[in-house]
Amino acid sequence: MKEYLDMWKNYANFSGRTSVRGYWMAVLFNIIISAIVSFIPIVSYIYPLAILIPSLAIVVRRLRDAGKSWTAIFLSLIPLVGSIILIVK
């Protein structure tokens, strides 16, 4: 839970680094919370918008920690092969 709270505390911090554990715990909590709020109609539309910027910030910090540029995030937009290229490269 600490990593998830750190994601919200550093929601606009696109510089620095994020540990592997910090990234994956934030992703795990986002999935769990998304599954829980999916049963509440209005919140299920608001929550994804609320986590957009913090999620981008943590991905950019994790990419920087892995030695990649923040522009590598655009590779993940390529269907099917984008994520594979991002992991392998």
Side-chain angles (χ1 to χ4, degrees):
M1 189 69 168
K2 178 190 175 298
E3 289 85 1
Y4 182 73
L5 294 175
D6 286 343
M7 179 188 78
W8 284 103
K9 289 177 186 173
N10 296 320
Y11 76 94
N13 182 11
F14 286 86
S15 62
R17 297 177 181 261
T18 299
S19 67
V20 175
R21 177 183 162 84
Y23 173 76
W24 285 112
M25 292 304 286
V27 168
L28 176 67
F29 276 101
N30 274 335
I31 291 170
I32 291 170
I33 292 172
S34 294
I36 292 170
V37 300
S38 68
F39 298 109
I40 306 168
I42 192 77
V43 179
S44 66
Y45 295 116
I46 295 172
Y47 185 72
L49 293 174
I51 65 168
L52 181 66
I53 299 298
S55 295
L56 283 175
I58 201 166
V59 167
V60 167
R61 288 193 309 262
R62 184 65 207 139
L63 283 171
R64 183 167 295 124
D65 192 41
K68 295 179 175 72
S69 172
W70 68 270
T71 55
I73 199 168
F74 294 116
L75 287 174
S76 65
L77 298 175
I78 301 170
L80 300 176
V81 296
S83 297
I84 296 169
I85 293 171
L86 189 59
I87 291 170
V88 172
K89 191 174 180 183

